[in-house]
Amino acid sequence: MSIDPEWKMIKPEQGRMEKWILRRAFDDEEQPYLPKHILYRQKEQFSDGVGYSWIDGLKAHAEQQVTDKMMQNATRIFPHNSPATKEAYYYRTIFEKLFPQNSARLTIPGGPSVACSSAKATEWDTAWSKNPDPSGRAAVGVHNSSYDLQLQAPAPENSPAKFINGPVSPQQLAIQG
């Protein structure tokens, strides 16, 4: 918590991606903790970490199972937090079969959710609110942009690496907070 929040900000123009300060703390040229292609790879949402082809396969399966007419009646069939996509509808039918109790139904969250975030996240970028896909790919441009980033150069003198005295072990990082 004692690290200046400015160092935690994503700044593409400076080559700083998400979790940059943590990545830099583990970027040791002499005794690398991780290969650079692992250390600086893009961060994935939990839902996308299994692989885009798997997620796309689930969406395609839901598309085959849920008709347009079913979607038109979604608010009548599922009046509490009605599903907005065929994929959500498909999962909802499975949930309702396994947990038909009203008490279970009331636990289903509602409202837009982008990249595992709450509806509040859609206020940060209005483009997110127009995409009902809960996958990390809903944050357009995020998942391709980090592949294009060049590997980081050694930290400048005023970098957070100086603050934490250069490369540290995971244990030291945990202690320094």
Side-chain angles (χ1 to χ4, degrees), residues 71-87:
M71 284 303 298
Q72 288 173 350
N73 292 315
T75 56
R76 280 179 270 189
I77 296 168
F78 304 114
H80 178 74
N81 293 332
S82 306
T85 66
K86 288 185 176 185
E87 181 185 16

Side-chain angles (χ1 to χ4, degrees), residues 106-129:
L106 294 176
T107 67
I108 297 170
S113 176
V114 176
C116 300
S117 297
S118 67
K120 188 74 175 164
T122 63
E123 294 177 17
W124 299 337
D125 185 339
T126 56
W128 289 4
S129 64

